[in-house]
């Protein structure tokens, strides 16, 4: 918003996280570079007659609305399927009917498991990129059985992707689909008991941040052997900005947005976060800094996991010239500095209160 002249109509059920961006009509100071260019509308896209009017007034709709925390996929599968598929339908329909551009946020989870994960553990082909690199126009979507409700999210996202794609093919909808690969950075999710429910389970960055802030061991689900690639939110926003600014190069495409150079196992992520947090907070590392927990204990029945996620960057690089820049250690340093500055005092107060009572 600082770098572009656009006006945004933000639609959500809450505005807690963007309050500082809003103008005087929302009780803020209005001196920012984007003053008067961000308008907030409190409404729920699943049942509000104002939605079509807002889409008609805009050149472009970006749909980010979804339940996208793994702890919900197996415990609230109906909400997960409804929010990711059914509730997105009106947005797709109104864009298509009114000839408006749509950037729809999907997920790298539509790829599911890698082909290589079905090979024996020490099979040499597991090292062959053909068996694990995820390509938008080539890789299949491989999910577990229905009773593994983890895949309710991936399946709903796959179907909405297919619907958006079909609207493009049959009715000429101008669309772009984004598949984020573990975007992380400041302001992600919530810290349980501070700015979110105390029993809530956010994604791994916030879970580990919460453990570090509270001086607790980090919990490695099933040994933390799954692999992820993490991309810094600021790099990812640059990719989205390029999509916004270059419709002719972005329309009709599905883009992986991730950083293939930042791959770690979850255990390695934990080790790095422990080291970086100790540096930025000046607090010593615990004697037992990590513990193993079973996925059943941590997430409940029906959890399953994606084994490995390396995004192929060919299409986004060719169409938009985008490449991620920030290394994992740099992004963790700025993110954990933010977490410490933002939450350390509040966590201390909350812990001393609960000890006193
Ligand atoms: N995970 C973990 N400990 C935690 C939270 C998550 O070991 O406290 C693991 C989780 O099982 C998964 C990975 O970290 O293998 C990433 O989880 P996240 O919730 O960030 O989302 P995902 O990448 O699976 O969509």
């Amino acid at each position: 918003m600082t770098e572009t002249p656009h006006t945004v109509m933000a639609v959500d059920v809450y505005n807690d996280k963007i309050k500082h961006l809003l103008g005087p009509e929302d009780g803020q100071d209005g001196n920012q570079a984007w003053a008067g260019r961000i308008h907030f509308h409190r409404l729920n896209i699943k049942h509000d007659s104002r939605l079509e009017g807002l889409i008609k007034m805009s050149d472009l709709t970006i749909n980010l609305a979804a339940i996208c925390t793994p702890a919900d996929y197996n415990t609230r599968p109906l909400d997960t399927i409804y929010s990711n598929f059914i509730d997105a339908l009106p947005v797709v329909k109104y864009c298509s009917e009114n000839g408006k551009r749509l950037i729809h946020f999907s997920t790298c989870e539509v790829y599911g498991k890698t082909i290589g994960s079905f090979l024996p553990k020490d099979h040499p082909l597991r090292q062959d990129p053909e068996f694990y690199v995820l390509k938008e126009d080539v890789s299949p979507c491989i999910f577990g059985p229905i009773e593994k409700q983890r895949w309710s999210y991936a399946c709903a996202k796959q179907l909405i992707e297919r619907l958006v794609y079909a609207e493009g093919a049959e009715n000429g909808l101008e669309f772009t689909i984004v598949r984020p690969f573990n975007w992380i950075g400041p302001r992600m999710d919530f810290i349980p008991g501070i700015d979110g429910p105390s029993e809530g389970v956010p994604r791994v960055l916030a879970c580990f941040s919460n453990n570090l802030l509270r001086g607790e061991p980090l919990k490695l689900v099933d040994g933390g052997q799954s692999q992820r690639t993490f991309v810094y939110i600021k790099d990812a926003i640059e990719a989205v900005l390029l999509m916004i600014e270059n419709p002719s190069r972005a329309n009709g495409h599905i883009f992986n947005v991730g950083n293939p150079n930042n791959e770690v196992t979850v255990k390695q992520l934990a080790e790095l976060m422990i080291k970086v947090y100790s540096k930025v907070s000046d607090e010593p590392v615990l004697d037992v800094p990590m513990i193993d927990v079973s996925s059943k204990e941590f997430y409940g029945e029906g959890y399953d996991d994606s084994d490995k996620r390396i995004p192929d960057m060919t299409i986004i690089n060719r169409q938009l010239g985008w490449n991620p820049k920030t290394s994992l250690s740099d992004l963790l340093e700025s993110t954990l500095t933010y977490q410490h500055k933002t939450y350390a005092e509040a966590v201390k107060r909350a812990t001393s209160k609960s000890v006193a009572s």
Side-chain angles (χ1 to χ4, degrees):
M1 291 306 290
T2 312
E3 291 164 18
T4 72
H6 300 301
T7 297
V8 168
M9 290 190 281
V11 171
D12 207 337
V13 284
Y14 303 113
N15 67 5
D16 313 31
K17 281 213 162 179
I18 59 161
K19 271 205 174 116
H20 61 294
L21 302 177
L22 303 175
E25 68 279 16
D26 299 286
Q28 302 302 310
D29 71 8
N31 287 323
Q32 308 97 328
W34 53 84
R37 292 191 288 125
I38 304 184
H39 307 288
F40 179 71
H41 299 264
R42 190 183 301 275
L43 63 92
N44 193 326
I45 59 167
K46 57 182 173 184
H47 45 58
D48 199 301
S49 57
R50 289 171 292 174
L51 182 65
E52 184 168 15
L54 291 170
I55 288 178
K56 275 186 176 168
M57 283 163 69
S58 315
D59 305 310
L60 163 67
T61 298
I62 303 179
N63 188 4
L64 295 147
I67 287 179
C68 55
T69 33
D72 293 318
Y73 309 160
N74 58 317
T75 53
R76 297 168 58 203
L78 286 175
D79 288 340
T80 300
I81 293 167
Y82 272 77
S83 96
N84 283 286
F85 181 68
I86 307 281
D87 300 348
L89 291 177
V91 178
V92 180
K93 180 173 154 224
Y94 296 143
C95 287
S96 191
E97 286 174 358
N98 293 291
K100 298 293 185 178
R101 209 181 150 210
L102 171 66
I103 297 183
H104 186 84
F105 269 69
S106 180
T107 170
C108 59
E109 224 176 271
V110 294
Y111 293 110
K113 297 174 186 247
T114 63
I115 309 174
S117 71
F118 293 89
L119 293 167
K121 278 261 168 304
D122 47 3
H123 198 289
L125 283 177
R126 275 193 176 233
Q127 307 308 319
D128 181 343
E130 288 293 313
F131 285 74
Y132 62 80
V133 173
L134 303 170
K135 297 185 180 171
E136 298 93 328
D137 53 348
V138 175
S139 301
C141 303
I142 307 173
F143 306 154
I146 304 300
E147 65 186 39
K148 295 283 185 198
Q149 296 202 79
R150 156 75 186 229
W151 303 107
S152 57
Y153 172 65
C155 188
K157 281 291 198 203
Q158 185 193 158
L159 192 54
I160 195 74
E161 277 202 25
R162 290 194 185 273
L163 186 109
V164 168
Y165 197 92
E167 280 289 347
E170 289 190 32
N171 297 326
L173 171 68
E174 293 182 339
F175 74 87
T176 303
I177 290 170
V178 184
R179 291 182 179 165
F181 279 66
N182 293 80
W183 297 11
I184 62 172
R187 312 177 58 73
M188 182 178 182
D189 291 343
F190 58 91
I191 296 299
I194 305 297
D195 56 1
S198 23
E199 299 308 313
V201 180
R203 283 166 290 180
V204 68
L205 177 92
C207 282
F208 286 173
S209 300
N210 182 41
N211 300 141
L212 291 164
L213 285 156
R214 292 175 192 276
E216 301 166 351
L218 280 55
K219 292 182 176 156
L220 301 179
V221 172
D222 293 338
Q225 292 311 303
S226 298
Q227 291 168 294
R228 294 290 187 271
T229 49
F230 293 94
V231 64
Y232 194 35
I233 185 68
K234 287 193 176 170
D235 291 354
I237 288 171
E238 273 182 24
V240 179
L241 190 55
L242 286 166
M243 293 173 208
I244 295 171
E245 303 292 342
N246 298 283
S248 63
R249 303 197 65 81
N251 285 347
H253 288 282
I254 300 176
F255 292 119
N256 287 344
V257 181
N259 188 337
N261 306 317
N262 281 348
E263 189 184 36
V264 278
T265 62
V266 172
K267 186 172 182 187
Q268 288 166 333
L269 174 75
E271 287 163 354
L272 248 172
M273 286 181 67
I274 290 164
K275 199 169 101 198
V276 174
Y277 189 76
S278 171
K279 180 178 153 201
V280 302
S281 67
D282 221 8
E283 277 164 28
V285 173
L286 298 180
D287 292 339
V288 182
M290 294 177 269
I291 51 167
D292 283 346
V293 298
S294 73
S295 55
K296 194 167 168 197
E297 201 182 321
F298 192 82
Y299 287 114
E301 206 68 64
Y303 182 75
D304 199 357
D305 209 354
S306 303
D307 53 302
K308 184 176 175 77
R309 291 179 180 159
I310 304 266
D312 183 84
M313 294 278 93
T314 312
I315 295 183
I316 192 159
N317 195 254
R318 184 189 69 212
Q319 291 304 116
L320 303 173
W322 180 81
N323 273 312
K325 297 188 199 96
T326 316
S327 71
L328 188 58
S329 53
D330 284 355
L331 79 83
L332 286 180
E333 176 126 6
S334 44
T335 305
L336 291 177
T337 302
Y338 174 90
Q339 302 289 58
H340 181 66
K341 208 172 73 196
T342 312
Y343 294 110
E345 281 307 313
V347 167
K348 248 184 225 142
R349 277 199 302 275
T351 347
S352 60
K353 237 189 245 160
S354 67
V355 170
S357 60

